[in-house]
């Protein structure tokens, strides 16, 4: 628990008034890239958006950018967390967010990927998976925002 | 002429007051603002990356930018509407904030960008697909769009970190 109270990364973050907002800018840009690219596939699974491409083509071609966005998000996020770890751990919105995030990431790389690669774009299953994916990622954003209002 | 009376009026309306005083409505509007940035801002980034030849190169620009256009427009309307409601709720607080004005300037420049590049790029997508290589104008448009949109997000975030001088605070609370 000592690590939570004081750690080198957290101390560095708290030593400058600019580092924290800069990290937040990276965090937002990162999740815009990852969630936006996933949403392109989700829309397609729902039978909307880029309908001239198959879900498999879209899922394959956005994948590196989704991963890049996730990478930026998953580096900046934990750094923000370490700036005040004890507060975040007590915050129910934060716990909701992390729960949604874990489910969303696992879902994205298992069921979501499998359904997109199978190209069954008009089936009920595809639509369900697309809608669920959108819902999970909006849940992550919502949980993150509500941390400040709890 | 100072715009402050308008900001004061905006914040004083019954509608803005009810948003400001609600423990739930205000953060829900902010969450919707942020979620539309995530969902549709990411699509804007992908369109820019496509024009720069970095992403989705196997797919026509018409599909990557054209087919997602309606969704980006819906997202833009939701984002701006929520942004305006957030402004209205605390207009007097935003008025002296330089990052708010920076953000509005960037938003206006997004409009200018759309007008400037409509003929050559965004209203001309089939010709861009037929071109043997990506026209320089399209790449310039994409690079500027990336700068403007990432700048908008950063300016927006920075609004929360501006600490006004005491006189400005007093002016805002008068």
């Amino acid at each position: 628990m000592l690590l939570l109270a004081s750690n080198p990364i957290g101390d560095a973050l708290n030593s400058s008034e600019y580092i924290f907002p800069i990290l937040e800018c990276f965090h937002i840009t990162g999740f815009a890239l990852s969630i936006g690219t996933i949403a392109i596939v989700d829309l397609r699974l729902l039978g909307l958006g880029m309908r001239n491409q198959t879900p498999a083509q879209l899922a394959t071609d956005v994948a590196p950018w989704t991963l890049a966005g996730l990478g930026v998000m998953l580096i900046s996020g934990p750094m923000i967390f370490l700036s005040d770890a004890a507060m975040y751990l007590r915050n129910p919105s934060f716990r909701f967010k992390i729960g949604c995030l874990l489910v969303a990431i696992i879902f994205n790389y298992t069921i979501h990927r499998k359904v997109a690669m199978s190209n069954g774009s008009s089936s009920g299953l595809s639509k369900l998976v697309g809608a669920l994916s959108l819902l999970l990622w909006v849940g992550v954003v919502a949980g993150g925002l509500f941390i400040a209002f709890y | 002429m100072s715009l402050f009376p308008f900001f004061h009026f905006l914040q004083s309306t019954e509608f803005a007051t009810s948003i400001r005083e609600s423990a739930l409505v205000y953060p829900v509007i902010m969450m919707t603002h942020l979620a539309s940035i995530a969902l549709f801002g990411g699509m804007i980034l992908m369109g820019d990356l496509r024009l720069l030849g970095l992403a989705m190169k196997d797919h026509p620009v018409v599909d990557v930018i054209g087919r997602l256009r309606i969704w980006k427009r819906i997202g833009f309307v939701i984002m701006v509407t929520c942004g305006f409601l957030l402004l209205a709720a605390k207009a007097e607080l935003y008025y002296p904030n330089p990052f708010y004005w920076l953000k509005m300037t960037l938003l206006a420049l997004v409009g200018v960008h759309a007008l400037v590049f409509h003929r050559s790029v965004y209203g001309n997508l089939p010709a861009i697909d037929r071109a043997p290589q990506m026209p320089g104008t399209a790449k310039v448009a994409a690079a500027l769009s990336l700068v403007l949109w990432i700048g908008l997000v950063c300016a927006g975030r920075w609004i929360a970190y501006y600490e006004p001088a005491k006189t400005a605070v007093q002016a805002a609370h008068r």
Side-chain angles (χ1 to χ4, degrees):
Chain A
M1 285 305 279
L2 203 62
L3 177 80
L4 296 180
S6 176
N7 61 75
I9 296 175
D11 294 345
L13 284 175
N14 293 320
S15 69
S16 161
E17 60 177 315
Y18 295 116
I19 297 178
F20 196 82
I22 289 172
L23 277 175
E24 285 185 316
C25 291
F26 274 101
H27 199 60
I28 297 172
T29 309
F31 75 64
L33 188 58
S34 55
I35 298 178
T37 50
I38 292 168
I40 291 173
V41 181
D42 292 342
L43 282 180
R44 182 64 187 83
L45 289 173
L46 290 164
L48 306 165
M50 293 178 65
R51 280 182 299 184
N52 290 340
Q53 282 71 28
T54 65
Q57 283 173 327
L58 292 180
T60 307
D61 291 349
V62 302
W65 296 97
T66 307
L67 196 63
L70 275 176
V72 172
M73 189 176 99
L74 292 178
I75 291 169
S76 55
M79 287 174 79
I80 291 170
F81 166 78
L82 285 172
S83 71
D84 198 354
M87 178 281 284
Y88 282 107
L89 287 177
R90 278 197 309 271
N91 190 304
S93 289
F94 175 76
R95 287 190 234 156
F96 173 80
K97 174 191 172 152
I98 295 302
C100 275
L101 180 67
L102 288 177
V103 175
I105 291 176
I106 293 169
F107 183 76
N108 190 64
Y109 286 104
T110 54
I111 300 168
H112 188 264
R113 185 166 179 79
K114 203 170 173 189
V115 169
M117 295 316 272
S118 74
N119 277 336
S121 61
S122 59
S123 74
L125 179 66
S126 293
K127 289 190 170 135
L128 182 69
V129 166
L132 206 54
S133 172
L134 286 174
L135 199 65
L136 279 169
W137 288 107
V138 169
V140 175
V141 174
L145 186 107
F146 269 89
I147 292 170
F149 289 90
Y150 167 69
Chain B
M1 198 193 81
S2 167
L3 286 168
F4 186 75
F6 172 71
F7 279 67
H8 173 73
F9 163 77
L10 202 56
Q11 176 165 334
S12 315
T13 55
E14 209 170 301
F15 187 61
T17 305
S18 62
I19 295 174
R20 183 171 59 252
E21 289 176 352
S22 164
L24 193 60
V25 173
Y26 184 81
V28 165
I29 294 172
M30 195 180 260
M31 185 276 280
T32 311
H33 188 65
L34 195 62
S36 48
I37 291 169
L39 291 169
F40 308 107
M43 293 182 190
I44 293 172
L45 295 181
M46 281 315 273
D48 295 337
L49 292 170
R50 173 64 185 86
L51 288 179
L52 288 169
L54 295 171
M56 306 189 90
K57 278 186 285 189
D58 295 341
H59 309 294
V61 172
V62 166
D63 288 343
V64 180
I65 295 181
R67 284 270 173 172
L68 294 175
R69 183 167 282 158
I70 182 68
W71 299 98
K72 287 184 279 192
R73 284 194 181 154
I74 292 170
F76 186 80
V77 169
I78 296 172
M79 187 183 76
V80 170
T81 306
C82 290
F84 178 75
L85 294 176
L86 293 172
L87 164 73
K90 299 184 176 176
E92 293 182 21
L93 200 66
Y94 283 82
Y95 181 77
N97 193 316
F99 296 104
Y100 166 72
W101 292 105
L102 174 63
K103 183 173 182 174
M104 289 306 104
T105 307
L106 289 169
L107 188 62
L109 288 175
V110 163
V112 173
H113 176 277
L115 286 174
V116 167
F117 292 106
H118 177 75
R119 267 183 73 129
S120 55
V121 182
Y122 300 103
N124 195 31
L125 299 178
I128 288 178
D129 279 322
R130 282 194 303 270
Q133 55 185 26
M134 186 59 69
T137 333
K139 288 188 182 175
V140 171
L144 287 174
S145 167
L146 275 179
V147 171
L148 286 173
W149 278 103
I150 293 175
L152 250 169
V153 166
C154 294
R157 194 70 286 261
W158 234 278
I159 290 173
Y161 291 92
Y162 171 67
E163 284 178 30
K166 218 169 185 178
T167 47
V169 175
Q170 282 161 353
H173 284 276
R174 260 202 301 270

